[in-house]
Amino acid sequence: MAKSTTPSRPASARQRGVTMTDVARHAGVSRTAVSFVLSNRENASISEETRTRINDAVQALGYRPNAGARALASRRSDWYGIVTEIVTAPFAVDIIKGAQDQAWLDRRFLLIAPSDQADAVGPNQGLEDAATEKLLEQRVEGLLYAATYHRGVHVPASAGEVPTVLINCFDADGRLPSIVPDERAGGRVAVERLLKAGHTRIGVINLDPVIPAAVGRLEGAREALTTAGLDLDPELVVSGYATADGGYEAAGRILDRYQGERRPTALFCLNDRMAMGAYDAIKERGLTIPGDIAVIGFDNQELIAAYLRPKLTTVALPFEEMGALGVRTLAALTAGQPIIADQQLVDCPLLERSSV
């Protein structure tokens, strides 16, 4: 078998790590010359032949720059930190994807610290504090806070040491900028689609009535009806509390409350899990979708929306877009630029399938 021509890393280097001095000795140059080449110093008068020797030595020895020392010297680490519960609740995982993709375009990297933000303030607040502190110890240039659902959160005070942006949540203390979905516009576009299909009597299966998503989506639905010269019948608004069982029970109550021409011909379910439950209630009553009852959901949980029969028309939460916008906003803050607004809204697009 032919021997590899790749230079092996010296045993002593493997044991203690290669230093810049080792590279200088191997290339036969000064340590200062190595520093200038590796930092891409533009005003350094170093010949191409010397640069080549230094780069060859770096490859031969397997040298890696000390990121911590470089961050201390330049006051820049090229890292952003993200504190999030999404790693243990994957519904909103596209927030991380959008943030990672945007960070990579900006030649930045994400350090992810998992947390459990079950409540705005709760028993796991200490975990969030520790996660934030650990990221700050790594000298991140800025912080992102991301939540699985739209709500107010209390961010550890130490986050104020670097630029910080909230994603899919907002600062309950009113200090930090946030990126959130435009819930009201999403509710409006859903009901406008039902109106366009000829439905004028529309039932709404609501979330927990006090959360921002429920308030905004219901306001949007009411706006769309008002613009069309219609009122939202309060008897046709029933809370399903975000679960499939709740959606099943709420749909049954709406459908059983009225018969004949007074029965609603469409249901707007404020999340896809409740829409899944509503499907069962509709079919149990011998009705068809969309022939007798049209259904629109919200969230675009693909494991639900794309696999119901018929496939569910729904309004998508813009997780990936919010993640990317969060990083762009953080980049502007770290560069000392002003941000557009304390809270930025991201459109929630309608995804047409077969239930309308």
Side-chain angles (χ1 to χ4, degrees), residues 8-19 22 61-62 64:
S8 62
R9 186 174 168 184
S12 60
R14 289 196 297 269
Q15 293 168 2
R16 61 179 173 80
V18 180
T19 68
D22 295 326
L61 298 177
R64 289 188 179 90

Side-chain angles (χ1 to χ4, degrees), residues 220-261:
R222 186 176 285 109
E223 283 179 4
L225 289 167
T226 300
T227 301
L230 301 169
D231 293 323
L232 179 61
D233 184 346
E235 294 292 315
L236 294 181
V237 181
V238 179
S239 292
Y241 296 97
T243 68
D245 285 343
Y248 170 82
E249 294 172 3
R253 288 170 59 187
I254 291 173
L255 294 174
D256 293 343
R257 184 168 288 162
Y258 298 103
Q259 300 297 322
E261 293 184 357

Side-chain angles (χ1 to χ4, degrees), residues 111 113 128-140:
L111 283 175
E128 286 187 41
D129 292 343
T132 303
E133 192 61 37
K134 183 59 66 175
L135 290 172
L136 292 173
E137 287 176 7
Q138 305 307 309
R139 296 190 175 273
V140 293

Side-chain angles (χ1 to χ4, degrees), residues 72-263:
L72 283 170
S74 66
R75 298 188 179 180
R76 295 187 61 177
S77 64
D78 295 334
W79 289 95
Y80 293 145
I82 179 167
V83 178
T84 181
E85 81 236 12
I86 293 171
V87 291
T88 55
F91 170 48
V93 70
D94 279 346
I95 287 179
I96 295 178
K97 181 181 184 302
Q100 283 181 322
D101 289 349
Q102 184 63 51
W104 177 246
L105 289 175
D106 297 340
R107 294 296 183 264
R108 295 288 188 275
F109 302 89
L110 288 185
L111 283 175
I112 301 174
S115 71
D116 187 353
Q117 299 168 328
D119 302 295
V121 177
N124 294 305
Q125 189 66 44
L127 178 59
E128 286 187 41
D129 292 343
T132 303
E133 192 61 37
K134 183 59 66 175
L135 290 172
L136 292 173
E137 287 176 7
Q138 305 307 309
R139 296 190 175 273
V140 293
E141 293 185 50
L143 286 172
L144 300 168
Y145 267 73
T148 52
Y149 70 92
H150 183 182
R151 65 185 187 274
V153 297
H154 291 277
V155 179
S158 58
E161 296 177 20
V162 294
T164 300
V165 177
L166 277 58
I167 304 175
N168 203 33
C169 55
F170 58 91
D171 183 6
D173 300 315
R175 298 177 294 117
L176 301 170
S178 60
I179 314 292
V180 296
D182 193 340
E183 309 280 13
R184 190 160 82 174
R188 186 167 57 245
V189 75
V191 172
E192 285 173 348
R193 177 65 184 91
L194 293 172
L195 291 168
K196 183 180 178 181
H199 301 283
T200 57
R201 192 154 174 78
I202 300 170
V204 177
I205 301 182
N206 201 3
L207 299 160
D208 181 334
V210 301
I211 66 174
V215 173
R217 294 172 195 182
L218 189 60
E219 284 181 0
R222 186 176 285 109
E223 283 179 4
L225 289 167
T226 300
T227 301
L230 301 169
D231 293 323
L232 179 61
D233 184 346
E235 294 292 315
L236 294 181
V237 181
V238 179
S239 292
Y241 296 97
T243 68
D245 285 343
Y248 170 82
E249 294 172 3
R253 288 170 59 187
I254 291 173
L255 294 174
D256 293 343
R257 184 168 288 162
Y258 298 103
Q259 300 297 322
E261 293 184 357
R262 296 199 66 204
R263 188 185 67 203

Side-chain angles (χ1 to χ4, degrees), residues 300-319:
N300 190 38
Q301 292 192 39
E302 288 199 35
L303 288 177
I304 296 174
Y307 293 98
L308 287 174
R309 293 295 180 267
K311 296 180 180 182
L312 179 66
T313 293
T314 187
V315 178
L317 281 171
F319 290 123

